[in-house]
Amino acid sequence: MTIKWTIEKLKTTGDTNVVTHVYWRCENGQAACAGVCDLILGDTFTAYDQLTEQQVLGWVFTPKVTELKDADGNVVETITRDFKAEAEAEVSALLAQQNVGPTLPW
């Protein structure tokens, strides 16, 4: 199964064009899913007009870690989201649902 990833849209902030959200699509021709990935400012910066789709996909493919803290600032739970794995699993599941049942007899 060949999975194709595309970036559909980038949301930026103000005049600086810092990317804050990436709208993506994952498909294989028969099934697709789409979503949005919120970004956290990193240590490096690439000017908006110099971004490549591969670079932005790399941002989406990097697992996102969120720490939930209590009132004292202690971490009580860590949540990791892997958008790439989740989306590809969803496309595979959609394909499996489409292939349920016998093929047509004609």
Side-chain angles (χ1 to χ4, degrees), residues 35-52:
V36 62
C37 176
D38 301 339
L39 299 178
I40 299 170
L41 292 178
D43 297 330
T44 61
F45 178 78
T46 303
Y48 186 84
D49 62 350
Q50 295 175 3
L51 292 173
T52 65

Side-chain angles (χ1 to χ4, degrees), residues 13-96:
T13 60
D15 297 332
T16 60
N17 282 335
V18 172
V19 178
T20 59
H21 297 81
V22 177
Y23 296 82
W24 52 264
R25 181 174 182 80
C26 174
E27 62 186 316
N28 80 339
Q30 298 176 3
C33 67
V36 62
C37 176
D38 301 339
L39 299 178
I40 299 170
L41 292 178
D43 297 330
T44 61
F45 178 78
T46 303
Y48 186 84
D49 62 350
Q50 295 175 3
L51 292 173
T52 65
E53 185 172 33
Q54 279 310 116
Q55 180 180 8
V56 176
L57 283 171
W59 297 343
V60 173
F61 294 167
T62 300
K64 308 299 181 266
V65 178
T66 303
E67 292 181 337
L68 302 178
K69 298 180 181 182
D70 62 17
D72 296 323
N74 301 311
V75 176
V76 294
E77 186 177 359
T78 302
I79 300 169
T80 302
R81 295 230 24 221
D82 185 336
F83 287 103
K84 184 176 191 294
E86 291 173 17
E88 290 180 358
E90 184 175 337
V91 168
S92 294
L94 289 169
L95 277 176

Side-chain angles (χ1 to χ4, degrees), residues 4-15:
K4 179 182 177 190
W5 280 85
T6 54
I7 301 300
E8 296 187 325
K9 177 182 166 183
L10 300 175
K11 182 178 178 185
T12 61
T13 60
D15 297 332

